[in-house]
Amino acid sequence: MDKVLVVGSLNMDFAVYMDRRPQAGETVMAQGMKLVPGGKGANQAYALGKLGAKTSMIGAVGTDTFGQQMLKNLETVSVNTAGIQKIAGVETGKAFIEIENSGQNSISVIAGANAAVDEQMVLAQEEYFRQTDAVVMQLEIPVPAVIAAAKLAKAHGKTVVLDPAPARKDLPDELWAQVDITKPNETELALLTGMPTGTEEEVLTAARALIAKGVKYVLVTLGGDGTLLVSDSRVEKFPAYKVKAVDTTAAGDCFLAAFMSRFDGQNFAEAIDFGAKASAIAVTRQGAQTSIPTVEEVQNFQ
Ligand code: RIB
């Protein structure tokens, strides 16, 4: 896709690195903390911009320093940030991320300005929908805003992409009916559908439940087991690349953005492979937007 509009969240990430995450009631010593630009929407916009797609973003930040830093970082990769509202008196979104040596993490998000993204804000920016090829959304802004964006994108005949994260079980059918492509991991797929996803057969059945709601393509990311593409007429598995992960934050964001930067509307294989390579590189680096590779790095990855 040449032109992509991201409608979603921006968070400043407080990334804390530790040997292992604490259990309930336990205190552990951490090795250090980094402030890194993040947020699922902003990560995807940043990665799209860095990987060469003409990208615009709609969202909201506060008028604080974090908000300014977030916008500046997106602008370094030529993302058009004019559609991101600066809201006085509200803090920019924040995410608190515990990352253990295995690369696995736990994330808590304070929505801040992201919670102010509403239907009206989306509809007021219809021009962006007219000018794009695809609209990419996640679930860190209020669901009514996501539904409004999906419907507007559909009304303009654009490809509607939903990263259903953080996953929730109350998403209305009205939203699923607009979606062309969704990218849950197995855990998210289980939550979204209320179905088990412990085996590949179960994953397939759950993915088909989303197809039955009107989604055209479900890309289930299976971690080290690759990606399963499911449509009403197709089931195909694509491999992952094995690397030593140090931080999996934003790996899914990087996968989706890299996929979209290469997807021509039909040829899934090459775009999924590009996404798999980009996210394999991202997990070998610390942080969200700091982990996104360049086009050359992805092309040279083996
Ligand atoms: O997907 C990773 C992102 O989730 C982090 O950057 C954090 O901000 C949370 O939104």
Side-chain angles (χ1 to χ4, degrees):
M1 299 279 160
D2 289 337
K3 288 178 264 166
V4 183
L5 170 64
V6 177
V7 182
S9 58
L10 304 96
N11 298 326
M12 184 56 82
D13 290 352
F14 291 66
V16 183
Y17 294 89
M18 57 195 67
D19 287 341
R20 64 173 181 81
R21 288 168 287 173
Q23 293 170 357
E26 188 191 13
T27 301
V28 300
M29 302 303 283
Q31 290 143 7
M33 198 272 285
K34 283 185 179 161
L35 277 180
V36 186
K40 295 184 195 305
N43 293 343
Q44 292 172 18
Y46 180 90
L48 278 156
K50 192 163 180 180
L51 294 169
K54 201 164 181 302
T55 308
S56 301
M57 183 167 179
I58 291 174
V61 292
T63 49
D64 48 23
T65 316
F66 286 161
Q68 288 166 25
Q69 288 171 346
M70 297 290 309
L71 299 187
K72 214 165 141 197
N73 204 49
L74 289 173
E75 284 155 12
T76 62
V77 290
S78 306
V79 173
N80 176 0
T81 61
I84 300 172
Q85 310 298 303
K86 298 170 201 79
I87 303 179
V90 181
E91 59 185 86
T92 295
K94 296 181 184 63
F96 298 88
I97 311 184
E98 294 175 326
I99 303 126
E100 58 186 33
N101 285 349
S102 66
Q104 294 305 315
N105 64 34
S106 305
I107 306 182
S108 318
V109 174
I110 296 176
N114 296 306
V117 180
D118 60 12
E119 199 174 340
Q120 224 181 346
M121 194 187 284
V122 169
L123 297 179
Q125 310 206 59
E126 185 167 1
E127 196 48 37
Y128 286 100
F129 289 80
R130 206 169 276 133
Q131 289 173 7
T132 194
D133 296 325
V135 178
V136 176
M137 297 156 298
Q138 321 74 31
L139 297 173
E140 282 184 336
I141 57 171
V143 171
V146 177
I147 295 173
K151 285 186 170 169
L152 195 52
K154 203 65 165 191
H156 284 284
K158 310 302 179 175
T159 301
V160 179
V161 182
L162 177 66
D163 179 359
R168 44 196 292 169
K169 50 184 167 210
D170 60 352
L171 285 185
D173 289 355
E174 172 190 21
L175 174 58
W176 288 121
Q178 318 297 325
V179 174
D180 293 305
I181 302 172
T182 190
K183 179 214 68 73
N185 62 30
E186 301 141 286
T187 316
E188 289 161 350
L189 183 62
L191 227 142
L192 293 163
T193 60
M195 298 167 84
T197 57
T199 66
E200 218 165 293
E201 205 48 45
E202 288 173 344
V203 168
L204 184 56
T205 307
R208 282 189 168 135
L210 296 183
I211 300 287
K213 287 180 186 284
V215 177
K216 293 200 181 72
Y217 298 97
V218 182
L219 289 177
V220 190
T221 49
L222 306 166
D225 284 338
T227 304
L228 190 71
L229 167 66
V230 184
S231 74
D232 60 355
S233 59
R234 188 170 171 189
V235 177
E236 200 172 339
K237 199 167 165 191
F238 299 88
Y241 292 90
K242 294 231 179 307
V243 289
K244 180 163 170 16
V246 301
D247 184 350
T248 55
T249 310
D253 300 330
C254 181
F255 172 86
L256 184 63
F259 163 79
M260 286 303 292
S261 74
R262 284 292 173 280
F263 185 54
D264 61 5
Q266 285 170 355
N267 183 4
F268 279 87
E270 199 228 329
I272 290 175
D273 188 57
F274 195 77
K277 284 178 175 160
S279 58
I281 297 171
V283 301
T284 65
R285 299 174 177 172
Q286 288 187 335
Q289 288 166 39
T290 45
S291 70
I292 308 298
T294 61
V295 175
E296 292 71 31
E297 286 172 325
V298 182
Q299 283 167 343
N300 294 333
F301 177 82
Q302 16 212 336

